[in-house]
Amino acid sequence: MNKAESITKDPDGKLNVPDHVIIPFIEGDGTGSDIWKATRTVIDGAVENVYGGKRRIEWKEVDAGGKGYEKTGQWMPRRALDTIRQHMVAIKGPLTTPVGKGIRSLNVTLRQELDLYACVRPVKYVPGVPSPMKHPENINMVIFRENTEDVYAGIEWQAGSPEAEKVADFLRSEMHALLPEGAGIGIKPISAKNTKRLVASAITYAIDNGYPSVTLMHKGNIMKFTEGAFCTWGYEVAKERFGDITVTENDVYRHYNGKPPAGKIVIKDRIADMLFQQILLRPEEFGVIATPNLNGDYISDALAAQVGGLGMAPGANIGDQCAVFEATHGTAPKYAGLDKVNPSSLILSGAMMLDYMGWDQAAQRVRQCLAETVKCGNVTYDLARQIQGSCEVCCSEFANAIVEGICRLEDAR
Ligand code: NAP
C-alpha cells in the first residue's frame, strides 16, 4: 500500500481522498479514551472488510483538552488547530470545558478558529432503542445549526460592570432604548453572509441526500432584524442559488394545489416554538432544518431525545475548509476509564465522516451492523436499563459485536 497522504481539495471544493489517508483524531477527556478506542475498532473493521485492504486510515493523534494541557500547558494548542487545518477532516471525542480558566469552551474555540460554520446533526431512529415517541421511526431529520454567531458570539457584559453600564448608557441616550437598571447585556449578531452560507449548505445537503424539504426555523415574529432576517436571507439564497431545484411552500399552495412538483425541494419556514410542537406531532413533515445557533442548540438535543438520547446522536462541525466529526454528549467523567459508556454517538459520527469522505459503503455497513447489534439486545448500560431482557455489554464488547457483524456480512457475500 502507498504511503499515507493528506486529503486535498480542488478549487471548486471537491475533496480528493487518497486510498491510504491520514485522519487526525482528538481522543477527548473523561470517557473519551473508551469511546474513541471502540470507534476506531469499528471504523477500521468496516474499512478493512468492505475495501479488502485497498483503503486504509492512518490515524494521527492530536493533543487537545486534558492531554494538550499536560503536554503544552494549553487546552487547545495552536499545533492541534494547524494539524486539523492541514488534513481537512478530523474526528474528536468530548472535551472538558475548563472552568474558570479564561476559556469559554474548547468546542467553541475549535469552531471559531477553523470557521466550522455548520453544526450538522442527523436524527434518525435506530430500531430497538427506547424512545418516548409512539412512532420514532417517522423521524428522519438533519439539523444545520449556524455555529459562528447569534448570542453565542460571546459579545456580552456582566450586570453592573462598567462595560455593561457604558453600553446601557449608549442604548438609552442614543438609541432611546428602555432598559432595566443594572441589567447584564448580550448582543445577538446575525448576518446575511453567514446565514446564506449555512442555508446554502443545508440545501446542498438536501439535494445530495434526497431530502424533500428544507425548513428555516426562526423566531422572526419577535426578533425581526436577526431571526426574521435569517428567514428572509434563507429564502433569498434558495432563490438566487437553487432557484431551478427549489420551490417555496407558499408557491406549492399558490400554483401547485398543495402538492410539490416532482424533483423540487420545498423551502418553508416555521416559528421556533411551533416547530417544537410539530416535531412531536408530525415529524414526518420535516427533513432538513436550517436555523440560527441558539434554536439549533435546543432543537438538536430535543430531537436526539426523541430517538433515544445523546448517547446515540452523531454530529459534525463543517466549514468550507475543514470538517470535524464529534460525539454530541460530554465527557461523562464519573464513568471515565470504566469501559462502560455507550460509544454509538462517536461511532455514528465516524460513519458520517466516512460518508463525507465518499467511503459510503463502509459508512453504511457501520450503521447497519450497529443497528443489528442493538436489535439483538447487546447494549451498553444506558440502554440496558431501559430495554427489558437485554444483555448489558461494556463499551469495547459493543464495538467488537459490531465488527463481528461486519465480518459475518462480508463472509456471507
Ligand atoms: P455529559 O458528559 O454528557 O454527561 C451527562 C450524563 O449523560 C452522564 O452522566 C450519563 O448519564 C449520560 N451520558 C453521557 N455520555 C454518555 C454515553 N456515551 N453513554 C451513556 N450515557 C452517557 O454532560 P455533563 O456532565 O454536563 O458534562 C461533562 C463535561 O463534558 C463538561 O466539562 C462539559 O463542558 C463537557 N461537554 C463537552 C461536550 C463536547 O465536547 N462536545 C459536550 C457537552 C459537554 P447517567 O449518569 O444517567 O448514566
Side-chain angles (χ1 to χ4, degrees), residues 186-407:
I187 301 275
K188 180 181 174 76
I190 290 198
S191 68
K193 173 177 161 269
N194 290 337
T195 297
K196 287 189 174 184
R197 66 180 182 171
L198 185 269
V199 175
S201 61
I203 297 174
T204 305
Y205 186 94
I207 296 169
D208 292 346
N209 295 280
Y211 281 87
S213 68
V214 175
T215 303
L216 305 166
M217 173 195 188
H218 63 92
K219 192 69 189 160
N221 52 335
I222 307 296
M223 293 170 271
K224 295 183 192 308
F225 304 124
T226 50
E227 301 258 336
F230 177 92
C231 178
T232 306
W233 291 323
Y235 279 115
E236 274 177 19
V237 75
K239 191 169 173 198
E240 289 158 4
R241 288 193 43 197
F242 305 94
D244 54 339
I245 188 140
T246 61
V247 60
T248 65
E249 188 177 45
N250 276 347
D251 280 348
V252 168
Y253 284 100
R254 209 176 294 146
H255 303 303
Y256 300 99
N257 221 5
K259 202 167 175 282
K264 297 263 185 185
I265 291 169
V266 179
I267 309 294
K268 50 190 174 182
D269 72 281
R270 293 290 182 275
I271 301 289
D273 38 334
M274 207 242 290
L275 188 59
F276 274 99
Q277 291 186 43
Q278 294 191 342
I279 57 168
L280 288 166
L281 300 173
R282 305 203 299 276
E284 60 283 356
E285 290 181 10
F286 301 97
V288 174
I289 294 174
T291 188
N293 210 334
L294 180 62
N295 299 334
D297 199 356
Y298 294 154
I299 201 156
S300 299
D301 282 15
L303 272 167
Q306 286 178 225
V307 296
L310 288 181
M312 299 299 296
N317 294 298
I318 300 180
D320 289 334
Q321 290 310 316
C322 302
V324 178
F325 296 79
E326 67 171 1
T328 53
H329 53 74
T331 58
K334 68 182 176 190
Y335 299 120
L338 300 183
D339 190 19
K340 182 174 176 77
V341 295
N342 187 348
S344 296
S345 171
L346 195 58
I347 292 174
L348 292 170
S349 302
M352 274 178 88
M353 183 185 80
L354 294 171
D355 276 332
Y356 185 82
M357 289 160 56
W359 295 12
D360 27 344
Q361 255 184 297
Q364 192 44 35
R365 209 57 51 82
V366 169
R367 281 190 280 265
Q368 181 184 353
C369 293
L370 184 145
E372 274 163 21
T373 305
V374 172
K375 200 169 152 200
C376 291
N378 294 320
V379 289
T380 45
Y381 84 98
D382 52 320
L383 300 182
R385 68 189 170 188
Q386 300 176 70
I387 306 175
Q388 260 197 345
S390 60
C391 165
E392 181 177 330
V393 295
C394 65
C395 177
S396 55
E397 286 169 337
F398 182 72
N400 291 337
I402 298 173
V403 176
E404 279 162 26
I406 293 170
C407 296

Side-chain angles (χ1 to χ4, degrees), residues 120-124 141-143 205 211 307 312-316 352:
V120 183
R121 294 270 195 97
V123 189
K124 200 168 177 190
M141 291 180 220
V142 184
I143 299 145
Y205 186 94
Y211 281 87
V307 296
M312 299 299 296
M352 274 178 88

Side-chain angles (χ1 to χ4, degrees), residues 3 17 39 65 146-147 165 171 180 183 297 300-301 317 385 410:
K3 205 165 144 273
V17 181
T39 300
E146 208 290 328
N147 242 347
E165 288 310 311
L171 291 173
D297 199 356
S300 299
D301 282 15
N317 294 298
R385 68 189 170 188
E410 291 311 315

Side-chain angles (χ1 to χ4, degrees), residues 68-118:
Y69 190 74
E70 263 168 38
K71 291 192 181 165
T72 68
Q74 289 178 318
W75 296 95
M76 185 55 73
R78 175 99 347 238
R79 198 164 162 184
L81 296 168
D82 289 344
T83 305
I84 296 174
R85 220 177 257 119
Q86 180 195 346
H87 295 286
M88 293 185 172
V89 173
I91 185 163
K92 67 172 271 293
L95 292 171
T96 305
T97 301
V99 177
K101 299 280 193 327
I103 301 174
R104 274 192 315 138
S105 152
L106 299 181
N107 296 304
V108 173
T109 308
L110 199 64
R111 289 167 196 170
Q112 287 180 344
E113 290 280 335
L114 299 175
D115 197 21
L116 304 171
Y117 60 81

